[in-house]
Amino acid sequence: MTVTRRKIIGASLFFTLFGAMAILPPLILLFRFDGLVFGVPVETVYLFALWIGLVVGAALFGVILPRDEPMPPQDKTRP
C-alpha cells in the first residue's frame, strides 16, 4: 500500500476535525465526575492530554507531509 500526498492530507483533515470535536462540551462533560488524578480533576487531565496529543500529531503531520515543490516553468514556444 502506497501512501500518497492526497491520503496524508485527508488524514490531517480528519485529525483536525477529530481534535475540534473532542474539545466540544458534550465530550468534555463525559469526564466530569469527582475523580482526581494526582490531585488534578479528570476533565483537566483529559484536556491537557488531548492538547498534547494534538500538538504531537500536528508535528508528525508536519514531518510526514511532503513539501510543495514549485512547478518548473513551461516553455511556451514549443507546440
Side-chain angles (χ1 to χ4, degrees):
M1 181 177 97
T2 61
V3 178
T4 63
R5 178 179 174 81
R6 182 179 234 170
K7 288 181 183 179
I8 296 172
I9 290 173
S12 66
L13 176 63
F14 175 76
F15 182 75
T16 303
L17 292 175
F18 168 77
M21 295 200 48
I23 295 176
L24 290 175
L27 286 178
I28 292 177
L29 292 177
L30 290 175
F31 294 95
R32 190 173 191 168
F33 53 88
D34 291 335
L36 296 175
V37 177
F38 300 114
V40 180
V42 175
E43 62 187 1
T44 305
V45 173
Y46 167 75
L47 284 176
F48 276 103
L50 178 66
W51 176 67
I52 289 170
L54 291 174
V55 169
V56 169
L60 289 175
F61 276 118
V63 170
I64 294 172
L65 193 63
R67 301 211 182 271
D68 281 335
E69 296 296 328
M71 296 285 292
Q74 294 181 357
D75 188 14
K76 293 185 179 182
T77 58
R78 289 185 177 173

